[in-house]
Amino acid sequence: MDLLGTALGADAALDGSARMKLLQRFTSRRAASASAASDSIGIEITLEQLLLAISVFWLVSANQLFFVAALKSRLWSLPATWGFGLALTVLYITVTFAVLCALVSRWNAKPVLTALLIATASASYFMQSYGVYLDPSMLRNVVRTDLAETRELLGWRWALHMALYAALPTLLLWRVRIVQRPWARALVLRMAYMLGALALAVAAVMVVFQPFASLMRNHKEVRYLATPSNYLWSLGSVAVAQLKGAAKPRQSLGLDAVMTALPAGAKPHLVVMVVGETARAANWGLNASTGGYTRQTTPELAALNVINFSQVTSCGTNTEVSLPCMFAPVGRRNYDEAAIRTSESLLHVMARAGAQVHWRDNQSGCKGVCDGLPGNSTVDQVLTLNPPGLCSDGRCMDEGLLAGLDERIAALRAKGGKQVLVLHMLGNHGPSYFRRYPPAFERFKPACQSDDLARCSQNEIVNAYDNAILYTDHVLAQLITKLQAKADGLDTAVVYASDHGESLGESGLFLHGLPYAIAPKEQTQVPMVMWFSPGMRQSLGLNEPCLRQRATQTASHDNLFHTALGLLNISASVYEPDLDLLKPCR
């Protein structure tokens, strides 16, 4: 300020306007000087050097699983293995660098790279913690995850991981100063670096072409471990599929469906389809009689003498795949994800044939299965109903699915006809198994009481999981008991099937969602149960001993669509009698 005072006082004749201009010039110079000093604290670096540094950082911090999977079948003592590992390293760095060159410019570098650092750190955490692969079906799950589920997945270990691998590098990123170049020169250099990187990538592949081609041909899932290309590719695939699906209406299904009417004076029919969540056959107590689980996790269903199918495989390993597939005619045997997602479901065929359909959800929606149901069919959420004492923190206990059931039955008895009620359970959705059941069902102890499974032993995790199975058993038994009490005026049936299974630490895997080709049986073998009232058995002409014998044989989600149509006596061109589990026993 002394210099400023000297400058201003040098000529007392200066008027106010001149003094103000001189003050502004002085302030501007001081600000420029301070900015230069601030920049000198950071590191000056070219954009290409920055992108290369980040590519190397991700190689080290986010791709351990990729390299372990790619090299696990090779002997490290062989020189060829070290050469293969080196070639993969060069391939990863050059391809990642080339992709970043295409996405990033000096103008958007810091915000884009910040977003990628956060996303890559989060992706590597979930991959390393739970053994998941970020393929398109998993990314679809991620995109549609609700807030309540997200909260359960985030803990202090996630926060520490994000601090080390996202916050710290982001802080360093914003301290560097990117060298400015004329735009034409910057563009030429960028293209040259990209072409050079791609040429080096091709050279690396050619050096190890034979083992690399074998890896990509026989273990295609490995590509979904290479981060960040895995989630960027998968996210793009999901977005493209979503846009294609939104651009055209759902394909009609079962336009020729006709339902056989009930005889005059016959009791109304109610079919309840219960979609379980994350229940695996390995822990299903009813399977004990066939050499399965030795712990009784389904005592109430056992007492009701339900028909248990002990060898059932799922269509997928996550809800986004399995749920639409369970209600589609093609199933896993001719799986076509695009066709399933752009077509109507079993529920549309039922409603079109004349059944009243109602979907009640206690999870994150019906994944398109119940969208746009025709006629007087309806959809509701347990959380919206908010049954007393069953909901908190954005989640509800599965007993809420039965709220108002007596009133619904009374209305059906008055109206007559056939009705389908679909209940979508929260079930054993992880990792917070201890949140899926009331305290009274904590019979297997000690049970894991943390959202972070790494803080619990495998025994504690299994105990919490089994307690949740106990509660599912209780809810299903309550449903059947209520229907039994209405047998004088209503013929009823219950069909329960879980959408997929769960890994509980076997081979270091947790939760679910692995690509189907490499998924362990814990994720693909699921429980399925049926129950029929005496009146329904008589109405269907059902030979129960025959059906119990059929239940000991293999079945799958492929059977559900056709069994449900047969249960309602609906004929349609999409119905395949050979897949109807009931038909041989009627």
Side-chain angles (χ1 to χ4, degrees), residues 141-176:
N141 264 336
V142 172
V143 170
R144 297 190 179 184
T145 297
D146 56 33
L147 181 60
E149 184 177 341
T150 301
R151 284 201 305 263
E152 293 174 358
L153 291 169
L154 307 182
W156 69 269
R157 285 198 313 124
W158 173 83
L160 178 60
H161 185 93
M162 295 300 290
L164 290 175
Y165 298 111
L168 182 58
T170 297
L171 179 63
L172 295 175
L173 169 66
W174 285 87
R175 296 298 294 165
V176 303

Side-chain angles (χ1 to χ4, degrees), residues 451-500:
D451 297 325
D452 186 354
L453 297 181
R455 302 179 63 181
C456 301
S457 68
Q458 186 175 14
N459 183 60
E460 291 171 331
I461 294 170
V462 171
N463 284 342
Y465 183 88
D466 283 352
N467 289 333
I469 291 284
L470 275 172
Y471 183 57
T472 292
D473 169 68
H474 174 70
V475 173
L476 291 174
Q478 268 199 320
L479 168 64
I480 292 172
T481 301
K482 284 178 176 290
L483 296 179
Q484 283 178 324
K486 309 295 182 181
D488 61 328
L490 194 67
D491 291 338
T492 55
V494 174
V495 179
Y496 165 84
S498 180
D499 60 351
H500 55 78

Side-chain angles (χ1 to χ4, degrees), residues 105-424:
S105 69
R106 189 177 69 83
W107 304 105
N108 69 5
K110 292 187 177 181
V112 169
L113 291 175
T114 296
L116 289 175
L117 283 167
I118 293 171
T120 301
S122 190
S124 66
Y125 170 78
F126 289 109
M127 290 166 64
Q128 293 166 15
S129 296
Y130 303 113
V132 300
Y133 287 65
L134 296 183
D135 60 357
S137 67
M138 180 56 71
L139 257 292
R140 189 174 288 108
N141 264 336
V142 172
V143 170
R144 297 190 179 184
T145 297
D146 56 33
L147 181 60
E149 184 177 341
T150 301
R151 284 201 305 263
E152 293 174 358
L153 291 169
L154 307 182
W156 69 269
R157 285 198 313 124
W158 173 83
L160 178 60
H161 185 93
M162 295 300 290
L164 290 175
Y165 298 111
L168 182 58
T170 297
L171 179 63
L172 295 175
L173 169 66
W174 285 87
R175 296 298 294 165
V176 303
R177 185 157 55 90
I178 301 174
V179 174
Q180 297 187 38
R181 297 190 184 113
W183 71 268
R185 182 167 180 265
L187 182 61
V188 170
L189 283 174
R190 182 81 52 75
M191 293 299 297
Y193 277 117
M194 283 180 62
L195 293 174
L198 292 175
L200 192 55
V202 171
V205 170
M206 296 307 297
V207 169
V208 292
F209 180 78
Q210 195 74 20
F212 182 77
S214 176
L215 175 68
M216 292 297 103
R217 181 174 58 254
N218 299 321
H219 302 283
K220 295 179 181 180
E221 70 280 355
V222 171
R223 71 188 69 179
Y224 294 116
L225 293 174
T227 314
S229 61
N230 53 0
Y231 71 78
L232 290 175
W233 171 267
S234 296
L235 193 60
S237 299
V238 171
V240 169
Q242 190 72 21
L243 289 173
K244 286 183 178 179
K248 56 183 179 180
R250 287 182 177 271
Q251 295 296 309
S252 298
L253 189 67
L255 292 177
D256 58 345
V258 177
M259 183 169 64
T260 302
L262 293 172
K267 290 183 290 187
H269 284 192
L270 173 62
V271 175
V272 184
M273 300 184 69
V274 185
V275 181
E277 170 64 39
T278 322
R280 69 185 202 175
N283 290 55
W284 191 247
L286 287 173
N287 290 337
S289 61
T290 57
Y293 206 39
T294 56
R295 178 183 276 179
Q296 182 50 280
T297 56
T298 54
E300 295 187 52
L301 286 176
L304 290 169
N305 201 31
V306 297
I307 301 169
N308 178 60
F309 288 75
S310 57
Q311 300 184 62
V312 181
T313 54
S314 66
C315 186
T317 61
N318 61 67
T319 306
E320 284 290 336
V321 170
S322 279
L323 188 56
C325 187
M326 292 168 76
F327 288 83
V330 293
R332 187 77 209 177
R333 68 198 185 284
N334 296 313
Y335 185 69
D336 185 335
E337 181 177 359
I340 290 173
R341 293 188 179 280
T342 57
S343 175
E344 292 181 338
S345 74
L346 168 67
L347 303 186
H348 297 84
V349 179
M350 289 174 162
R352 184 171 288 120
Q356 182 180 341
V357 179
H358 177 74
W359 179 285
R360 175 164 290 179
D361 203 277
N362 194 32
Q363 221 205 108
S364 55
C366 67
K367 313 303 180 186
V369 170
C370 64
D371 291 353
L373 287 175
N376 56 355
S377 300
T378 55
V379 177
D380 67 34
Q381 282 269 353
V382 175
L383 187 60
T384 303
L385 299 174
N386 195 23
L390 294 175
C391 299
S392 64
D393 299 325
R395 292 286 200 196
C396 297
M397 293 294 175
D398 277 331
E399 285 176 277
L401 290 165
L402 308 182
L405 181 60
D406 289 337
E407 292 79 3
R408 178 172 293 278
I409 289 174
L412 174 60
R413 291 177 64 172
K415 183 178 181 181
K418 299 180 182 181
Q419 187 171 131
V420 179
L421 174 62
V422 186
L423 307 178
H424 186 197

Side-chain angles (χ1 to χ4, degrees), residues 516-555:
Y516 201 88
I518 63 167
K521 63 181 181 180
E522 290 82 8
Q523 295 189 26
T524 60
Q525 294 186 357
V526 296
M528 184 166 74
V529 165
M530 293 185 189
W531 174 87
F532 304 91
S533 69
M536 183 65 86
R537 286 199 301 268
Q538 183 177 358
S539 176
L540 295 174
L542 190 62
N543 183 332
E544 186 171 322
C546 168
L547 187 57
R548 289 188 183 277
Q549 176 59 34
R550 177 63 183 88
T552 64
Q553 303 169 22
T554 58

